[in-house]
Amino acid sequence: MKTITLLLTVLCTMFSFGQTEKTGDILINTTQTDDTYWAGENIKVNSVVQGDLVVAGGNLVINDSINGDLIAAGGELYVNGYIADDARLAVGRVTINSEIEDDLIVFGGEVILTENAKVNGNLKCFGGNVEINGEVNGKAEIKGTDISINGIFNETSKIMGEDFTLGPNAKFHSKVEYWNSDGEIDFKEALVNTEATFNETLGDENSELSATTFGTKSPSLWVFYILSAFLVILILHSLFRNTFSEAVEGLEKNWFKSFGIGLIYLFGIPLLIILAFLIVIGIPIGLFATGIFLFSLLFGHLIAALLLVYYYKHKKTRKWNFWGITFLALCVAIILRLFTMLPYVGILISVVILSITYGALTLKVINFKIVPVKK
């Protein structure tokens, strides 16, 4: 009930937020005495928030205490301050370097809990690369692609990953069920008066958490997903509304060209990233490109939803305002998510949608033109 109430509160608050255009770089240096909501390209919190903090943006940094819940959606997030209640995060990359007093639910392309991280409640983690170096005092459920455990788990845990590795400091003080694509692994000294069970059925669960499902299999996660999607759509729409408006002009005649350029983006960028990592001086560029690429994949259907709404508005010459487009994009995003959750077909739909979306944006943003050859 608290989550639903918070969702309604955020929606109402964001309506007033939209009228003041709080976008760009935001620095919070004074104590916030109540629940606080911000959206911007870069947000840094250097002072105490007495209530809940809800933020959305490209780069988010939390350096001081949050005395309520933390809800964040965006590209990259660093949590260095104490969180007195729950944390619900949906980001491209997150690094947690502090204590969370209650539950942590996190969705991300890359999730890192440092050796200073401590979760006193339950942990639910859905990610690509997951690295746990801290301590979890509640039950843990971790699903990902590459999972590295080098921390302490004091209650029962489930771990599902294509690759699952244990570090020298990993300790499990209660039962652990796990699955990984290579089969059973040797826990060595990681088990403290308990046992580890390899469970084949967890592999089926893990396959359901693909890049297309994004953890939207239960009602509670759907509520969290809708909240996160709304925040991300809001910030994207606030910052790039002109880009979306211009990208749909002439799109009807350039579907195939957009699709082709988008395919180059989806499959060409990873190759360039690999090449950058092979060249020592290119590593910083590779890291930056990886973050951007993961963000584009993670939130691609939200970007596609905005583009589709702007395309329909342009084609039908509708006079929708900022908030009408935002809420319509949220509805379209939910529909796209349902389609992309379909087994096998969902992956194909995702590739087509993302290719057309990023192809159309590339054509307009970078002014990509094919110059005709003069005979």
Side-chain angles (χ1 to χ4, degrees):
M1 186 65 188
K2 181 179 180 181
T3 305
I4 297 173
T5 302
L6 181 60
L7 173 61
L8 294 174
T9 303
V10 171
L11 294 180
C12 294
T13 305
M14 287 301 182
F15 181 82
S16 59
F17 151 83
Q19 308 305 316
T20 57
E21 297 292 331
K22 293 181 182 176
T23 58
D25 294 344
I26 297 170
L27 179 62
I28 302 176
N29 279 328
T30 58
T31 299
Q32 306 295 298
T33 58
D34 205 343
D35 295 343
T36 304
Y37 309 92
W38 289 95
E41 186 175 354
N42 300 293
I43 301 176
K44 183 178 287 188
V45 180
N46 291 331
S47 60
V48 175
V49 177
Q50 300 290 2
D52 297 334
L53 174 64
V54 180
V55 288
N59 295 288
L60 311 170
V61 181
I62 313 297
N63 287 327
D64 213 325
S65 299
I66 311 299
N67 291 332
D69 292 337
L70 169 64
I71 296 178
E76 193 162 4
L77 168 66
Y78 294 91
V79 181
N80 301 315
Y82 171 75
I83 310 299
D85 209 334
D86 299 326
R88 301 178 180 89
L89 317 173
V91 290
R93 185 178 190 272
V94 57
T95 301
I96 297 175
N97 189 43
S98 64
E99 184 175 359
I100 296 173
E101 193 61 44
D102 210 335
D103 297 340
L104 167 62
I105 301 175
V106 55
F107 302 81
E110 185 174 358
V111 178
I112 299 172
L113 271 65
T114 70
E115 60 274 9
N116 297 321
K118 186 176 183 181
V119 179
N120 291 317
N122 298 326
L123 168 65
K124 285 193 176 183
C125 176
F126 308 90
N129 298 324
V130 179
E131 185 179 328
I132 309 293
N133 299 307
E135 183 176 0
V136 181
N137 288 321
K139 295 180 180 179
E141 183 177 347
I142 302 171
K143 300 181 182 181
T145 304
D146 296 317
I147 298 177
S148 174
I149 302 295
N150 196 34
I152 300 170
F153 291 79
N154 292 315
E155 289 292 338
T156 57
S157 54
K158 284 185 179 181
I159 302 174
M160 293 146 273
E162 292 293 327
D163 294 308
F164 175 24
T165 58
L166 291 170
N169 298 321
K171 297 294 178 186
F172 294 90
H173 293 271
S174 193
K175 228 177 182 182
V176 53
E177 281 187 90
Y178 73 98
W179 175 86
N180 104 101
S181 58
D182 294 328
E184 297 185 31
I185 64 174
D186 185 0
F187 277 69
K188 299 179 180 178
E189 290 80 28
L191 299 174
V192 182
N193 299 319
T194 188
E195 61 180 3
T197 305
F198 180 78
N199 189 341
E200 286 279 6
T201 61
L202 295 181
D204 298 330
E205 291 184 32
N206 191 67
S207 65
E208 292 178 350
L209 190 78
S210 63
T212 58
T213 61
F214 195 57
T216 50
K217 290 290 187 180
S218 69
S220 60
L221 290 178
W222 264 110
V223 172
F224 177 64
Y225 164 77
I226 292 171
L227 170 62
S228 303
F230 178 80
L231 290 173
V232 175
I233 287 172
L234 181 64
I235 183 63
L236 289 172
H237 193 196
S238 298
L239 295 176
F240 305 112
R241 69 181 81 176
N242 291 333
T243 301
F244 287 110
S245 180
E246 293 171 3
V248 298
E249 295 177 6
L251 179 59
E252 190 171 0
K253 298 178 181 178
N254 290 296
W255 287 111
F256 290 108
K257 185 187 291 186
S258 297
F259 178 70
I261 293 172
L263 280 178
I264 293 173
Y265 172 83
L266 290 179
F267 295 101
I269 295 297
L271 294 176
L272 292 176
I273 290 172
I274 293 171
L275 181 62
F277 279 120
L278 292 176
I279 305 171
V280 177
I281 59 174
I283 291 177
I285 297 174
L287 289 172
F288 177 77
T290 300
I292 297 297
F293 186 70
L294 286 174
F295 180 88
S296 69
L297 291 183
L298 197 59
F299 300 114
H301 71 288
L302 303 180
I303 298 171
L306 275 166
L307 192 72
L308 285 171
V309 172
Y310 265 101
Y311 173 73
Y312 188 82
K313 175 179 180 289
H314 176 76
K315 188 174 177 62
K316 301 295 183 180
T317 61
R318 304 288 185 181
K319 294 183 178 180
W320 294 329
N321 61 17
F322 175 89
W323 286 103
I325 294 172
T326 300
F327 282 104
L328 279 172
L330 178 61
C331 295
V332 172
I334 294 171
I335 294 170
L336 289 178
R337 177 56 66 211
L338 290 170
F339 277 112
T340 56
M341 286 171 61
L342 296 171
Y344 305 111
V345 178
I347 296 175
L348 179 60
I349 293 173
S350 295
V351 171
V352 172
I353 290 173
L354 292 180
S355 295
I356 293 174
T357 298
Y358 290 123
L361 291 173
T362 301
L363 282 171
K364 286 298 179 183
V365 176
I366 306 180
N367 293 320
F368 182 91
K369 294 182 181 179
I370 300 177
V371 181
V373 179
K374 294 183 179 179
K375 295 183 179 180

